[in-house]
Amino acid sequence: MRPATAAKVVRYTTITVFGLVMIAPLLYLLSASLMTAEDVGAYPPHFLPPSLSFSNYGEAYSYLTGRTILNSFVFALGVVVLQLVLGLPAGFALAKIPFRGAIAVMVLFVVPMFLPNNVAIIPLYIVTRELGIVNTYAGMILPIAGSTAFSTLLFRQFFVNLPPGLIEAARIDGAGWFRVLMTIVVPLSRPAVAAFSSITFLNAWNMYIWPLIVAPDPKLQVMPVALAPLARGQLSTITPNIGLAAAVISILPVVVAFLLAQRWFVRGIVGTGLE
């Protein structure tokens, strides 16, 4: 075997082994979600279900309820859309519009990224309460949507790499900054938008502490809050197989969103230098 071929075999074998190790917990989750409660707790454990129990998913959906799933979509999509509306123009301004104090503004965006998220929970809750939007969708979404440091810096890094000739030509033709943004920059920023949307949707979908604190009303409960009681072990009123099926339901939207945006996601990460 030639050295180049041997190196390729070793590389792909290593990638395959590590891939199987990484995906093994997910495969077991899918398998156990189709087992009975007795099979999940059996010893030695079953890696494949002795008998398929598809009714687990019906019971898991009844436990989660369609309202909880809808709440998660409203919360996650609301955060993505608002952060996109705020972060994309801000990133463009920092990258392409010269103004005094640009470096100071970037510092103001960077510093909050080094602070633990939980540091801001109490001030955010106080402001939300004073505005009278506790136990509302607005109270859940607006404070998180206002945290635009990541989106602004991601878009800024992407726009820095855009050819300056495109923008200069549009400016010479008399186009204002807003028109340049909407007609030239936005159509070219689809990879960055896909990367940002995938990451932000995942983070918002898995967010637990803030929705729990600001929206204790069961009618506004999101998926992570609904799944939390299932981690109580013997104290849980839901059997493990139903809990595992509920976990599978909770990850499906994230997996589907990533698969749909995978091509643009990879191009966006490469284009923003976040490799």
Side-chain angles (χ1 to χ4, degrees), residues 49-66:
S51 60
L52 298 177
S53 181
F54 290 101
S55 60
N56 293 348
Y57 284 92
E59 296 183 44
Y61 180 81
S62 299
Y63 169 76
L64 294 174
T65 73

Side-chain angles (χ1 to χ4, degrees), residues 5 7-8 14 26 31 88 102 105 114 116 134 165 170 199 210-211 220 234 241:
T5 303
K8 185 179 295 186
T14 304
L26 179 60
S31 176
L88 192 149
V105 172
F114 292 94
V134 172
I199 295 171
W210 177 250
L220 295 174
Q234 296 180 350
N241 57 324

Side-chain angles (χ1 to χ4, degrees), residues 95-252:
K96 295 299 184 182
I97 302 178
F99 63 94
R100 295 179 62 181
I103 296 178
V105 172
M106 283 201 58
V107 171
L108 292 177
F109 277 106
V110 170
V111 170
M113 297 181 67
F114 292 94
L115 298 176
N117 293 331
N118 294 341
V119 170
I121 285 182
I122 294 177
L124 279 178
Y125 180 79
I126 292 174
V127 172
T128 305
R129 185 190 62 187
E130 293 300 319
L131 292 175
I133 53 176
V134 172
N135 271 328
T136 64
Y137 284 127
M140 295 169 60
I141 295 171
L142 292 179
I144 304 301
S147 303
T148 58
F150 170 75
S151 61
T152 300
L153 294 178
L154 184 145
F155 285 118
R156 185 260 177 196
Q157 187 62 30
F158 180 82
F159 293 143
V160 163
N161 297 324
L162 288 181
L166 292 174
I167 297 175
E168 292 173 1
R171 293 288 293 167
I172 291 173
D173 288 340
W177 286 115
F178 181 77
R179 185 176 180 183
V180 170
L181 174 67
M182 299 305 298
T183 59
I184 297 177
V185 174
V186 171
L188 294 175
S189 61
R190 285 181 296 177
V193 170
F196 160 78
S197 300
S198 301
I199 295 171
T200 305
F201 182 85
L202 175 61
N203 291 336
W205 185 268
N206 291 330
M207 195 168 289
Y208 170 73
I209 294 180
W210 177 250
L212 176 66
I213 292 174
V214 79
D217 189 342
K219 294 181 180 179
L220 295 174
Q221 183 175 249
V222 295
M223 295 282 281
V225 177
L227 292 173
L230 303 181
R232 296 175 182 173
Q234 296 180 350
L235 298 178
S236 176
T237 58
I238 305 298
T239 55
N241 57 324
I242 305 302
L244 293 169
V248 172
I249 293 175
S250 72
I251 67 174
L252 282 178

Side-chain angles (χ1 to χ4, degrees), residues 13-26:
T13 301
T14 304
I15 293 173
T16 302
V17 170
F18 276 98
L20 291 175
V21 171
M22 296 293 292
I23 203 174
L26 179 60

